[in-house]
Amino acid sequence: MQEADFVAFDAEQAKIGQLLFFDPILSGNRNIACATCHHPELGSGDGLSLGIGEGGEGLGRERTPGQGAAKIVKRIPRNAPALWNLGAREIDVLFHDGRLSVSRIYENGLDSPAQEWLPEGLNSILAAQALFPMTAEFEMAGNPKENQIAGAVYDRIDNVWPIVAKRVRVIPEYADMFVAAFDDVDQALDIDITHIANALAAFETQEFTSFDSPFDAYLNGDRAALSDDQKAGLDLFYGKADCSSCHS
Ligand code: HEC
Ligand code: HEC
């Protein structure tokens, strides 16, 4: 792989995405950020067997189900996967069950849980993905009656996004950064959820891209980049053990 194999991103947009990725205002109860589950110190995963969403406290293995009324009702039914190289152009399906994929089924070019209500203007499948944790009750949205976002999800999924966008754009420091980084944003009111999602995708691509591993060097023709054991593992992985049929 090389740089050209990844969706091009704007560095200024990535800078905004970095702030948003660590900002709990994207969650209904303002108590969890993307980074809580996809932390750089945890290899961009959550370090848990089954994740602990909004209401929990702490990070990684120290994360607890929280206390009092905020305490979690349910764990996330799987762990948070690492986010490496998802900005690669060849990525056309996301989530363990493939519920988000590049498709012609709707005019927006993606098959997703939002069906035809996915907003226009997303720059990549990674940007589209960023919309969904915000709508997930146990991940970021919160439980019904706890906040406006959790209530909106039950109405229709796309009712959530304008509420999130408004939370972001009323913060002057964010608004100024969006105006500077996006050609189609002249004032705070122009900021919608697609700008937020595109900024998050830009950050994820910038931060979690790697193509200088020994494996990459080997693929590029440096036969000495892998040890004999590693080469044997590679043969198994793509051969007899058939790991690559799922982990391609
Ligand atoms: C409560 C923990 C949690 C939070 C918060 C969270 N995620 Fe995730 N994330 C997960 C889990 C669990 C999955 C796997 C879900 C699945 O495959 O069904 C996932 C999947 C993903 C994927 C797809 C990975 C793949 O290979 O298919 C991306 C990208 C991602 N998250 C980015 C984000 C972004 C951006 C945010 C913030 C807007 C966020 N996540 C917030 C837990 C979380
Ligand atoms: C039939 C599909 C399939 C095959 C074949 C497969 N895996 Fe997996 N593997 C998965 C799934 C799905 C998960 C995620 C499980 C979860 O998170 O609940 C996973 C998880 C993993 C993980 C943990 C990743 C993490 O970040 O937590 C490793 C490591 C792994 N597999 C290695 C292998 C190896 C090595 C082989 C070949 C011997 C293999 N897998 C074959 C589907 C498969």
Side-chain angles (χ1 to χ4, degrees):
M1 286 196 139
Q2 47 193 356
E3 205 163 338
D5 295 324
F6 293 83
V7 177
F9 63 83
D10 178 282
E12 268 186 277
Q13 295 179 9
K15 182 83 205 152
I16 305 175
Q18 178 173 19
L19 294 173
L20 290 169
F21 195 83
F22 287 86
D23 196 332
I25 63 167
L26 301 185
S27 66
N29 291 320
R30 299 171 200 262
N31 60 0
I32 189 167
C34 309
T36 311
C37 298
H38 299 285
H39 204 279
E41 275 176 22
L42 301 165
S44 69
D46 59 7
L48 296 168
S49 301
L50 296 179
I52 298 177
E54 73 89 31
E57 286 168 11
L59 195 66
R61 289 196 193 164
E62 268 75 62
R63 190 159 171 79
T64 68
Q67 304 167 38
K71 192 173 179 204
I72 64 161
V73 186
K74 211 180 128 182
R75 287 183 87 129
I76 310 299
R78 56 196 314 108
N79 61 350
L83 304 183
W84 290 98
N85 289 353
L86 298 179
R89 291 180 197 278
E90 71 182 48
I91 298 280
D92 57 6
V93 52
L94 287 174
F95 290 125
H96 75 282
D97 55 1
R99 65 186 176 276
L100 175 62
S101 62
V102 173
S103 157
R104 292 202 187 158
I105 186 168
Y106 302 110
E107 270 178 35
N108 56 41
L110 292 162
D111 188 4
S112 80
Q115 302 174 313
E116 68 265 41
W117 298 300
L118 201 69
E120 297 283 329
L122 298 163
N123 67 13
S124 58
I125 186 171
L126 199 52
Q129 189 287 331
L131 299 174
F132 293 100
M134 304 173 195
T135 67
E137 175 173 354
F138 300 113
E139 286 191 8
M140 296 184 90
N143 307 300
K145 297 192 183 138
E146 284 179 354
N147 66 70
Q148 206 190 357
I149 288 176
V153 178
Y154 277 82
D155 230 3
R156 207 175 75 188
I157 190 165
D158 58 326
N159 287 346
V160 169
W161 299 317
I163 304 173
V164 175
K166 188 172 177 190
R167 280 190 183 182
V168 172
R169 72 166 173 258
V170 297
I171 296 173
E173 288 82 356
Y174 269 131
D176 291 346
M177 290 180 83
F178 277 97
V179 170
F182 287 86
D183 290 342
D184 61 338
V185 176
D186 297 325
Q187 49 171 335
L189 263 178
D190 298 336
I191 300 167
D192 67 29
I193 198 69
T194 60
H195 302 109
I196 290 169
N198 289 345
L200 283 166
F203 169 68
E204 290 172 273
T205 304
Q206 182 192 59
E207 183 69 17
F208 304 123
T209 289
S210 162
F211 46 84
D212 60 358
S213 69
F215 178 51
D216 291 292
Y218 184 80
L219 290 182
N220 287 332
D222 177 0
R223 310 314 276 178
L226 294 183
S227 69
D228 287 344
D229 277 358
Q230 289 170 327
K231 280 181 210 161
L234 178 63
D235 286 344
L236 272 175
F237 197 93
Y238 287 93
K240 205 171 168 189
D242 205 24
C243 313
S244 64
S245 62
C246 297
H247 300 287
S248 69

